[in-house]
Amino acid sequence: MKQALYHQFTTNKRAGKKSFAVLIDPDKVDNVKIEQLIRLGTEAKVDYFFVGGSLVISTHLDECIRQIKADCKIPVVLFPGSPSQVSKYADALLYLSLISGRNPELLIGQHVISAPFVKNSGLEIMPTGYMVIDGGAPTTVSYISNATPIPADKNEIAMCTAMAGEMLGMKLIYMDAGSGAKRPITETMIEKVAASIEIPMIIGGGITEPEKAYRNCKAGADVIVVGNAIEKDPSLIKEIGAAVHSAPVNA
Ligand code: 1GP
């Protein structure tokens, strides 16, 4: 099985190097917008494009990824809201299991149904413990997943969930307050979870300012994901990229 990108995640973690991922929701971009994101992403040395969303209605996922792959060298990682969001044109797939919820379909059910398809895609598969944290208002992910998010102040639950995910063999933990969350995940929670696990940790949901991205990195996040704020103001790519990349090594 391919492991090139995962190797990059772990090497960066060991070196204390923080990464920045721009989330592209195929529903919200056209060719012109993608072109702009590629240009700004390349200038800001964005580490990854994550592509996907909890609810993708449009059908141009393949086309969107092919355009990114044709025009830049930034790796494309699928962040699928459902098994239908798998494209062989991407570099890797976050193989998400919603370990913060108790919905068996999102823990294992959909994986079983789509297993042959996913395996034959040839994508690099990254088993990811996906944890939704309450972001102050219902988000698409909390509604669609039909699972209760972890309360924002229950650091111990988040810690134990991440530890269990790691021991079950997950290769990444993705803590997400949900797209457009009113309140992003607290640094205290990030710090406590980071101290409890060895695997790389991705943090997203409601990050709108470079300072918050920087503080999250200092608290122990390895990859910062921003979608919504960049959709509204693409110039933030530069500022958030600079903040993430300037976070102290081995923070
Ligand atoms: C959502 O973590 C991502 O799943 C990004 O969230 O769109 O709020 O940046 P935002």
Side-chain angles (χ1 to χ4, degrees), residues 36-219:
Q36 182 195 29
L37 293 174
I38 292 171
R39 184 174 46 79
L40 294 172
T42 306
E43 281 168 14
K45 297 194 168 57
V46 161
D47 299 277
Y48 310 101
F49 279 122
F50 281 9
V51 179
S54 304
L55 183 69
V56 172
I57 300 165
S58 63
T59 51
H60 62 268
L61 178 69
D62 279 348
E63 194 194 319
C64 168
I65 294 171
R66 288 176 78 171
Q67 187 184 348
I68 302 172
K69 294 303 299 173
D71 291 350
C72 71
K73 293 201 176 342
I74 300 171
V76 174
V77 179
L78 289 167
F79 172 45
S82 75
S84 63
Q85 292 174 38
V86 174
S87 167
K88 63 178 180 188
Y89 300 108
D91 296 289
L93 168 78
L94 295 179
Y95 198 52
L96 305 169
S97 184
L98 183 63
I99 58 173
S100 60
R102 299 295 178 266
N103 177 347
E105 277 309 303
L106 301 181
L107 272 166
I108 181 68
Q110 295 193 351
H111 309 69
V112 173
I113 292 167
S114 59
F117 173 61
V118 171
K119 189 153 182 161
N120 287 334
S121 69
L123 291 164
E124 177 177 343
I125 308 293
M126 300 202 268
T128 303
Y130 187 47
M131 296 170 48
V132 178
I133 313 297
D134 186 26
T139 56
T140 310
V141 63
S142 61
Y143 177 78
I144 296 278
S145 65
N146 196 16
T148 314
I150 295 177
D153 59 348
K154 298 291 181 196
N155 300 326
E156 288 72 20
I157 298 180
M159 269 167 61
C160 295
T161 307
M163 285 164 72
E166 179 175 52
M167 289 190 286
L168 279 166
M170 304 291 170
K171 300 292 186 205
L172 297 167
I173 291 293
Y174 188 154
M175 288 213 293
D176 194 351
S179 199
K182 282 194 179 154
R183 288 197 299 265
I185 298 170
T186 64
E187 286 118 68
T188 316
M189 182 179 275
I190 295 170
E191 211 169 298
K192 291 199 184 281
V193 173
S196 319
I197 56 172
E198 315 268 309
I199 51 179
M201 180 163 65
I202 305 170
I203 300 290
I207 300 169
T208 57
E209 293 163 355
E211 296 74 22
K212 175 60 178 153
Y214 180 84
R215 290 199 305 272
N216 285 354
C217 290
K218 272 190 82 179

